[in-house]
Amino acid sequence: MSEVRRSPVLIGTGILMALMGLGLGGGGIWLIALGGSWYYLIAGIGFLLTAFLLFRHSPAALWVFAAVVVGTLVWALWEAGLDWWPLAARGGVIFVLGLLLLTPWVTRALRRRPADPATPASPARVSAFRGAGLPLTAALGIALAVAAVSWFTEPNRIEGAAPAPRAQVPPDALGVPPGEWRSYGRTDYGQRYSPLDQITPANVANLEVAWTYRTGDVPLSQPGDPQETTFQVTPLKIGNRLFLCTPHQQVIAIDATTGVEIWRYDPKVQGELALQHLTCRGLSYHPGRGDAPPPAPAITPPAARDPTVPDLPVAAAEGRTAETCTTKLFMPTADGRVIALNPDNGAVCSNFGGGKGQINLWANMPNVKPGAYYSTSPVVVTRDLIIVGGTVLDNVSTNEQSGVIRAFNVDTGELVWNWDSGNPDQTAPIAPGESYVPNSPNSWSISSVDQELGMVYVPLGNQPPDQWGGNRSENVDRFSSSVVALDLATGQVRWHFQTVHHDLWDYDVPSQPSLIDLTVNGETVPALVQPTKQGEIYVLDRRNGRPILPITEVPVPQGAAEGDRTAPTQPGSALSFDPPPLTGRDMWGATLFDQLACRIQFHRLRYEGRYTPPSTQGTLVHPGNFGVFNWGSIAVDPERQIAFTTPAYLAFVSRLVPREDDTTLYVQGENRPEGSLPALNENFGAPFAVQLYPFTSALGLPCQEPPWGYVAAADLTTGQTIWMHKNGTVRDQAPVPLPFKMGVPSLGGPMMTASGVAFLSGTIDYYVRAYDVTNGEQLWESRLPAGGQSTPMTYLGEDGRQYLLVVAGGHGSLGTKVGDYVIAYALPRQQ
């Protein structure tokens, strides 16, 4: 026996097994007490018994561990089926340990014990293919075969084929030439669809970089940049020029064919801003009213200065003389301005804003705090108006700015109407010295417009705080998390549809509505398609807001925090990418151990499915406030009448923290950097602060099993999901850059073309990809130098080639690599 005790490999392996067994057993007991699976306790006992037998140098250790392998395989198949990544989380560590036990260093140290204790133990002659090693080898072989089969199996995959075109749409619909991209979503309708067809499924794999332009403005490069400093722009293409804005809000014109910079304008945004976000998603364009520009507005003597309105920088023309503009670009800035520029040369338009070339969005605004309110998204431009919304600081206090929507004369900048969801019936221009309703729901995303019907369609968010609504007024509750159709002439509400009643989950309506004419029962119906964070896609008649696809009110969990309430039901659409409710078996990890920790965490949180109210216990919110869909929206094909979508699934945790006063930092604590703004999630003035964080393991991986991101197509006339495939790899998020296709989230929208090709660059790995719209198959990809969290666009160059344009600048909150790249792709020139 003395010789046996001197086997360090066996003793060390036994200690490893014992420690793992104690962890599994202890965690397993905790999980059972919370109502979870018994597997981990049973597996822990198997590990401990294996360790005990290894300490005794008994070959029976291999028999016991073979039973652990087989039992784990059966349990894993019962819980996860033939799905590789869930199986790997359950069995990966056990498989590796099984291989370790079969190494010669272990098997040679095992001894057969004789019946007579006085007789020395003899070698057991065990190996991977002999004696006690054979059952373990067989068990591992079966596990390996199952793993191999599961690698080629995608249980979540939906196969299908999109229909052929069902309607004819003129290539210059809405007055936009086929080779141009004049609005954020290309046209007023926000479809992210181009009639160009030069790049096809057959030749897209031949795309190559035509030119690369660098702006020189890198996110997170300047003092005071908030974490969410992003390069999210989708450029405009007008004539042979591209127009874009940078994270620090410079405006740049580029030759669309060569990528050469033509002019640049810096609005000199004032410093020391209370910024939560710093971005510019795009510019807006007005083509003018013919050759003769409108007369410059008369400049009246200034009234007495309102001390509540901050002085903003003058919209200087940087060496260019301000001039009367026929056409205009409109640029919103982080210090609360909208500036009008001449697209020819970047000069400020003197015939706008009372001769100043800009309007001040702080006029009549309550709770003035520069940087706390501005328009992060491009303004809506119609024949006669620009229509402006804005973002406010999220979850900071109950005394934020108004979410008012304002319409200004496109020629002069004069206020025409204002619609405030806190005072919705009074839309005439507010009087000097009066203020809009504080803290009313705001619109931070992109609106769409139907000028023929005379309506602008505005997606609205919540009144802060997002997770507690006990003090919300009747009007606030009426319009929160809604899409609202406003009359272009008066600003009055024509109709509205609420996507979440009494929203307590930060389920803002995040996406630009897409307008499309659908063929329903043989009739053409003007439709509005509204994606949401919770995964519903509502298809409504845009004339009156009535559902085209059925909507059902579904009972939801009750029991709001003290002083609050919950709505008894929530609307569900026939077209939905809402994920199934999570269960313990959906928990995931890199190993069996962090998966166990995620299961414990899951059972400790309050979770009764979607719309479980926020709580002091901590509530699991799934989908989380990252959203199934976000500001990137979806792309719709007006001829096929389908949508190309990018569903993402990440759960979050929302925990309410009772407040005792309006000054203490309950969430960020005393270690918050001096002077940092804002005190995010403190909710000053409300009875609760809120802790918000992603539902992840100690290793930083999502606790829910993959896939976390897909591409999918849906029929907008029936609500049917046509196909759905996991999309993207963990190459740029994993500790080791392995290109495992697990399906990752994207932030930034897709784009489609008439040839049946879709493009997406927003995944958290650094690629732009092309897909066959008919079946969803990936056709091409190109590596990007930074995160591509923007929406691609396409256009024709002067050389007759169709270009694909991608902006790669990263996203601070996602942790993707930042950059300043604008990259154009095209097919090779014809020889």
Side-chain angles (χ1 to χ4, degrees):
M1 288 299 294
S2 60
E3 182 181 351
V4 172
R5 292 192 185 99
R6 287 196 299 267
S7 175
V9 172
L10 220 56
I11 298 300
T13 305
I15 292 173
L16 177 64
M17 287 284 186
L19 292 174
M20 290 183 172
L22 289 172
L24 288 173
I29 292 172
W30 190 0
L31 183 60
I32 291 169
L34 294 170
S37 172
W38 282 66
Y39 163 79
Y40 298 91
L41 175 59
I42 296 171
I45 294 171
F47 270 68
L48 290 171
L49 183 55
T50 301
F52 173 76
L53 293 171
L54 288 174
F55 290 143
R56 293 178 58 84
H57 295 65
S58 171
L62 304 186
W63 282 93
V64 171
F65 203 75
V68 171
V69 172
V70 172
T72 299
L73 180 61
V74 171
W75 167 73
L77 288 171
W78 175 68
E79 283 207 333
L82 287 172
D83 194 346
W84 162 260
W85 291 109
L87 289 178
R90 289 163 172 82
V93 168
I94 291 176
F95 185 86
V96 171
L97 290 173
L99 293 178
L100 173 63
L101 292 178
L102 290 176
T103 60
W105 300 279
V106 174
T107 58
R108 288 174 184 170
L110 297 174
R111 296 291 185 267
R112 182 186 300 112
R113 292 189 176 276
D116 183 359
T119 305
S122 60
R125 301 187 184 277
V126 174
S127 71
F129 300 101
R130 183 169 57 183
L134 190 57
L136 180 54
T137 299
L140 293 177
I142 294 171
L144 184 62
V146 170
V149 172
S150 69
W151 183 260
F152 299 99
T153 304
E154 291 189 36
N156 302 296
R157 188 178 178 95
I158 298 174
E159 298 287 10
R166 294 180 277 186
Q168 290 186 341
V169 178
D172 58 351
L174 302 180
V176 177
E180 298 195 359
W181 193 284
R182 291 194 170 186
S183 300
Y184 176 80
R186 187 176 175 273
T187 70
D188 290 348
Y189 279 15
Q191 295 176 341
R192 280 159 291 282
Y193 170 86
S194 170
L196 298 181
D197 58 6
Q198 189 181 115
I199 300 172
T200 69
N203 64 25
V204 67
N206 297 324
L207 282 177
E208 59 186 20
V209 174
W211 53 259
T212 298
Y213 169 80
R214 301 192 66 175
T215 69
D217 185 353
V218 179
L220 299 170
S221 62
Q222 297 184 16
D225 282 358
Q227 182 182 15
E228 194 160 310
T229 300
T230 58
F231 195 16
Q232 297 177 342
V233 67
T234 296
L236 306 181
K237 195 269 184 177
I238 300 154
N240 190 46
R241 291 186 178 182
L242 296 169
F243 300 98
L244 60 93
C245 49
T246 70
H248 296 96
Q249 308 193 331
Q250 298 177 36
V251 181
I252 303 174
I254 303 172
D255 185 292
T257 307
T258 65
V260 174
E261 181 176 319
I262 299 171
W263 57 257
R264 178 184 296 239
Y265 171 78
D266 187 346
K268 306 296 184 184
V269 173
Q270 77 175 67
E272 300 299 322
L273 298 176
L275 291 170
Q276 196 173 79
H277 317 275
L278 181 58
T279 191
C280 178
R281 295 192 178 99
L283 305 165
S284 305
Y285 171 70
H286 188 267
R289 303 178 185 275
D291 295 332
I299 302 177
T300 57
R305 181 182 177 276
D306 185 345
T308 65
V309 179
D311 288 324
L312 296 178
V314 176
E318 294 189 322
R320 297 180 288 270
T321 303
E323 57 190 47
T324 299
C325 301
T326 303
T327 60
K328 297 184 182 74
L329 290 173
F330 293 98
M331 167 68 194
T333 66
D335 52 13
R337 294 176 284 165
V338 177
I339 301 173
L341 300 175
N342 187 336
D344 292 337
N345 54 22
V348 172
C349 296
S350 61
N351 56 327
F352 184 79
K356 298 179 180 179
Q358 64 184 16
I359 52 178
N360 188 347
L361 298 180
W362 283 107
N364 301 102
M365 187 63 70
N367 302 319
V368 172
K369 184 165 39 177
Y373 169 87
Y374 78 103
S375 183
T376 55
S377 297
V379 303
V380 170
V381 175
T382 71
R383 284 182 290 265
D384 303 311
L385 303 171
I386 65 168
I387 301 167
V388 187
T391 185
V392 302
L393 298 181
D394 216 7
N395 291 339
V396 172
S397 79
T398 59
N399 297 306
E400 299 302 325
Q401 297 71 44
S402 176
V404 62
I405 309 299
R406 286 173 280 190
F408 301 89
N409 183 283
V410 75
D411 297 318
T412 68
E414 181 183 3
L415 182 64
V416 176
W417 54 256
N418 37 233
W419 179 76
D420 185 346
S421 57
N423 183 24
D425 299 325
Q426 305 299 319
T427 62
I430 194 170
E434 295 185 1
S435 296
Y436 300 114
V437 177
N439 228 37
S440 54
N442 66 302
S443 180
W444 56 266
S445 190
I446 305 102
S447 298
S448 299
V449 63
D450 186 329
Q451 297 195 61
E452 298 306 313
L453 289 178
M455 282 183 272
V456 59
Y457 303 96
V458 181
L460 283 184
N462 283 320
Q463 177 188 76
D466 292 318
Q467 288 76 27
W468 189 84
N471 292 336
R472 293 176 186 169
S473 68
E474 180 180 348
N475 282 329
V476 165
D477 252 350
R478 176 185 174 197
F479 290 109
S480 287
S481 299
S482 296
V483 56
V484 182
L486 300 179
D487 187 280
L488 282 178
T490 67
Q492 292 285 337
V493 176
R494 297 268 289 270
W495 60 262
H496 85 284
F497 175 80
Q498 189 166 61
T499 66
V500 185
H501 309 317
H502 196 69
D503 183 2
L504 302 175
W505 304 273
D506 192 19
Y507 284 160
D508 298 345
V509 182
S511 303
Q512 180 182 29
S514 294
L515 312 183
I516 182 174
D517 294 337
L518 297 178
T519 304
V520 181
N521 297 324
E523 297 183 4
T524 300
V525 180
L528 176 147
V529 181
Q530 183 61 68
T532 64
K533 284 186 178 182
Q534 64 271 27
E536 307 298 324
I537 298 180
Y538 298 101
V539 183
L540 310 173
D541 188 321
R542 68 175 182 268
R543 296 169 296 188
N544 50 36
R546 295 171 184 163
I548 294 174
L549 293 181
I551 296 172
T552 305
E553 290 288 335
V554 180
V556 294
Q558 298 296 294
E562 182 179 356
D564 205 350
R565 65 177 182 84
T566 51
T569 63
Q570 295 290 351
S573 174
L575 175 50
S576 177
F577 289 95
D578 172 36
L582 293 175
T583 66
R585 68 176 58 190
D586 297 315
M587 297 303 100
W588 189 76
T591 70
L592 191 65
F593 300 96
D594 54 320
Q595 183 192 58
L596 169 58
C598 283
R599 289 197 187 222
I600 292 171
Q601 186 181 353
F602 171 78
H603 283 284
R604 295 182 68 194
L605 294 169
R606 183 181 177 189
Y607 180 68
E608 299 155 35
R610 190 169 62 157
Y611 301 117
T612 302
S615 62
T616 54
Q617 171 188 347
T619 291
L620 184 63
V621 182
H622 182 59
N625 58 1
F626 182 90
V628 177
F629 302 108
N630 209 291
W631 55 262
S633 197
I634 61 176
V636 299
D637 184 330
E639 297 192 337
R640 290 186 169 194
Q641 303 189 1
I642 63 173
F644 183 95
T645 73
T646 59
Y649 300 106
L650 287 175
F652 271 65
V653 176
S654 168
R655 177 175 280 107
L656 299 178
V657 181
R659 297 194 62 87
E660 296 180 4
D661 57 59
D662 286 341
T663 58
T664 303
L665 295 176
Y666 285 87
V667 176
Q668 296 198 6
E670 297 180 356
N671 294 323
R672 188 166 64 95
E674 182 179 354
S676 65
L677 289 171
L680 185 63
N681 297 330
E682 291 292 348
N683 294 336
F684 297 115
F688 297 96
V690 62
Q691 293 176 329
L692 289 173
Y693 50 91
F695 183 47
T696 56
S697 71
L699 300 179
L701 298 172
C703 271
Q704 66 194 84
E705 66 187 25
W708 306 300
Y710 295 86
V711 288
D715 190 318
L716 294 172
T717 66
T718 66
Q720 176 191 5
T721 298
I722 301 169
W723 51 257
M724 185 170 176
H725 304 161
K726 66 182 180 183
N727 181 61
T729 72
V730 294
R731 168 175 174 169
D732 297 301
Q733 301 300 314
V736 179
L738 297 175
F740 291 136
K741 187 177 181 181
M742 299 176 70
V744 297
S746 61
L747 190 60
M751 177 267 291
M752 278 198 287
T753 68
S755 64
V757 181
F759 295 95
L760 175 68
S761 67
T763 51
I764 59 174
D765 59 349
Y766 310 153
Y767 290 94
V768 55
R769 295 182 172 95
Y771 310 86
D772 189 323
V773 170
T774 299
N775 56 27
E777 293 300 321
Q778 182 177 312
L779 302 171
W780 168 82
E781 68 179 19
S782 179
R783 183 75 173 156
L784 298 175
Q789 279 70 60
S790 61
T791 302
M793 50 84 76
T794 189
Y795 61 88
L796 280 182
E798 281 192 326
D799 57 2
R801 292 195 294 172
Q802 179 183 350
Y803 287 80
L804 166 70
L805 194 80
V806 178
V807 168
H811 193 285
S813 294
L814 289 181
T816 53
K817 183 180 178 181
V818 298
D820 62 344
Y821 300 87
V822 181
I823 305 172
Y825 298 84
L827 296 173
R829 296 179 186 274
Q830 297 294 327
Q831 299 298 323

